Amino acid sequence: MPTRPTPPPRTATAPPAASSPRVPRRRSYDQFCAAARALDAVGDRWTLLIVRELLAGPRRYTDLHVDLPGVSTDVLASRLKDMERVGLTVRRRLPAPVSAYVYELTPRGHGLLPVLTALAGWGAPELTDPRPTDAVRAHWLALPLRRSLEREDWRGVVEVRLDEGEFHVRVGADAGEPVYGEGAAPEGTAAARLELDVGTCLEICRGLLSVADAVRDGRVNVKRSTA
Amino acid sequence: MPTRPTPPPRTATAPPAASSPRVPRRRSYDQFCAAARALDAVGDRWTLLIVRELLAGPRRYTDLHVDLPGVSTDVLASRLKDMERVGLTVRRRLPAPVSAYVYELTPRGHGLLPVLTALAGWGAPELTDPRPTDAVRAHWLALPLRRSLEREDWRGVVEVRLDEGEFHVRVGADAGEPVYGEGAAPEGTAAARLELDVGTCLEICRGLLSVADAVRDGRVNVKRSTA
DNA sequence: CGGCATCCGTGACGATACTG
DNA sequence: CAGTATCGTCACGGATGCCG
């Protein structure tokens, strides 16, 4: 093993330089490792969940705050600032009538989709029933469902109707477009529509049931658009 | 959206019910979302980097502490405890001569490999030169390199020799075995050996250069074992 | 009213010292 | 060697205030 040049052993003798004008001193792992570099950028609490929301398209501050229950206002503001600094997002002024800002992923930020997909795939087995304290949004199921659909070679925008709500998800073809969203798909974009109950959806997300089998068993109602 | 009943605004006069016996109250996002569930388990600082080290095989406390520069002893101990509680790791007593403990991934913990791979893939573009403050370990390159090799359909244990150090990595065939490690591969397991310089290795990790091209240009020296 | 900034209490984190 | 104990600092979460 190569001897490591002991990095300047920051001894305690270096007090945090309490005066130096303002060194925000972003906390870094300081490791020459790709995963550590990634975690330097997105490892802070809430950051990846903000990305999850922005994968649905540009969002305003208040919308983000509503769909991220539990985040405090200052942390959300701080994260959005950090993310812009790091190049994950841009802050854009909406055009004419509304004078508001939206936050939007850059291509670099959009590139985190595989990370969230992997996380969702790993976390899906624990999606059984919502705990009493859990917040619920229909489009949060899009991430794991998309993974299952992609593995069965689905492509295009799929509309999903559950009793509890509706969402849509874009499978494959990863340009910069929104990956999913609450509610029905934009007019005319849907390649297929699925109707199923939440239990079935969760089994598919957890990989216990293939979409093909679920369709065959009549647990999923499929309508394909005339393409 | 359902209006949420504003919870009784506990004024500062209400001490946090200091009596309830001991609710450690693990911090959770409390969202019915697969990615949020995953982050509940592995979203804490250092956790995924500990998994990164354990993907190299069972490790003792001190070894982990050495290969995770910057982590403090108490945080490392706390994380290992949490990870065991959540089922990511087990603590095992080494058999006869040495009386020591090792920490080892469970299958569930090993299942985080795709997450780390995705993170490494996203973070690799920022692997240019080590910053002066960066710690360096040869096997940290295994994660992104493995991803590149896998995309070019390599399989088996590949030994990698850089001027600065040597490591090996198991590509494909994801059982529970160690995925990579510092130094040469265990005797007789190597399917191939690569000799290259760090710059070339980084270009491959960043996806700027295919292994095939690098071999053709003579930037990589390949020796395949007689299989 | 949307978009933050500020203040405050608690808990997580990081460094060091200490112990079985 | 393998952690635990202690302590200062900072990040987080909740509420509230300000400002266009």
Side-chain angles (χ1 to χ4, degrees), chain A residues 81-163:
Chain A
K81 219 160 287 178
D82 290 343
M83 292 168 71
E84 188 168 7
R85 280 197 332 101
V86 187
L88 299 182
T89 59
V90 290
R91 185 169 181 262
R92 190 164 52 90
R93 175 182 276 106
L94 283 186
V98 285
S99 90
Y101 287 99
V102 289
Y103 299 87
E104 166 171 46
L105 290 178
T106 60
R108 177 83 179 137
H110 195 90
L112 285 164
L113 176 56
V115 172
L116 278 163
T117 301
L119 276 170
W122 188 84
E126 303 194 17
L127 276 194
T128 54
D129 289 307
R131 298 173 300 210
T133 53
D134 276 344
V136 177
R137 301 287 187 282
H139 74 276
W140 289 344
L141 289 175
L143 215 35
L145 181 63
R146 178 179 179 276
R147 182 168 173 269
S148 298
L149 290 172
E150 202 149 52
R151 298 198 159 195
E152 295 189 46
D153 292 314
W154 288 63
R155 291 299 122 97
V157 176
V158 178
E159 217 167 54
V160 183
R161 177 183 289 260
L162 310 168
D163 290 341

Side-chain angles (χ1 to χ4, degrees), chain B:
Chain B
M1 183 184 53
T3 47
R4 312 173 221 296
T6 311
R10 15 167 161 166
T11 54
T13 61
S19 60
S20 48
R22 295 283 248 80
V23 187
R25 209 169 38 124
R26 295 254 327 131
R27 181 154 59 174
S28 163
Y29 286 111
D30 280 335
Q31 298 186 358
F32 191 66
C33 162
R37 284 281 200 276
L39 290 172
D40 279 342
V42 301
D44 280 341
R45 195 165 162 74
W46 291 109
T47 302
L48 279 175
L49 295 187
I50 296 174
V51 173
R52 177 195 69 191
E53 293 306 314
L54 292 180
L55 281 172
R59 285 290 176 275
R60 299 191 305 182
Y61 182 91
T62 309
D63 301 329
L64 287 172
H65 191 256
V66 165
D67 273 342
L68 291 166
V71 73
S72 59
T73 59
D74 56 349
V75 168
L76 178 55
S78 167
R79 289 294 179 279
L80 288 170
K81 218 161 287 181
D82 290 344
M83 292 168 72
E84 189 169 6
R85 278 197 334 100
V86 186
L88 300 182
T89 58
V90 290
R91 187 171 181 259
R92 190 163 53 89
R93 175 181 276 108
L94 284 185
V98 287
S99 89
Y101 286 98
V102 288
Y103 299 86
E104 167 172 44
L105 289 178
T106 61
R108 177 82 180 139
H110 194 89
L112 285 164
L113 176 56
V115 172
L116 277 163
T117 301
L119 277 170
W122 188 84
E126 304 193 16
L127 277 193
T128 54
D129 289 307
R131 298 173 300 210
T133 53
D134 274 345
V136 178
R137 301 286 186 282
H139 74 276
W140 288 345
L141 290 175
L143 215 34
L145 182 63
R146 178 178 181 278
R147 183 168 173 268
S148 297
L149 290 172
E150 201 149 51
R151 297 197 160 195
E152 295 189 46
D153 291 316
W154 289 62
R155 292 299 123 97
V157 176
V158 178
E159 218 168 51
V160 183
R161 176 183 290 259
L162 310 168
D163 290 341
E164 289 80 356
E166 192 171 12
F167 65 91
H168 61 278
V169 54
R170 183 187 310 273
V171 188
D174 181 18
E177 303 134 308
V179 180
Y180 40 70
E182 201 80 32
E187 184 68 26
T189 64
R193 181 214 297 256
L194 304 182
E195 289 183 21
L196 67 171
D197 61 78
V198 179
T200 305
C201 187
L202 291 177
E203 285 186 46
I204 293 172
C205 288
R206 282 182 278 157
L208 303 178
L209 178 66
S210 75
V211 185
D213 285 348
V215 170
R216 182 164 344 120
D217 298 352
R219 301 178 62 180
V220 174
N221 194 339
V222 190
K223 289 178 189 156
R224 294 181 184 275
S225 301
T226 59

Side-chain angles (χ1 to χ4, degrees), chain A residues 120-129 141 144-145 147-148 198-210 219, chain B residues 32 34:
Chain A
W122 188 84
E126 303 194 17
L127 276 194
T128 54
D129 289 307
L141 289 175
L145 181 63
R147 182 168 173 269
S148 298
V198 179
T200 304
C201 187
L202 291 177
E203 286 185 45
I204 292 172
C205 288
R206 281 183 277 158
L208 303 177
L209 178 66
S210 74
R219 301 178 61 179
Chain B
F32 191 66

Side-chain angles (χ1 to χ4, degrees), chain A residues 10-12 27 60-62 73-74 77 81 91 100-101 103:
Chain A
R10 0 167 165 174
T11 54
R27 182 156 56 174
R60 297 190 307 181
Y61 180 91
T62 310
T73 59
D74 56 349
K81 219 160 287 178
R91 185 169 181 262
Y101 287 99
Y103 299 87

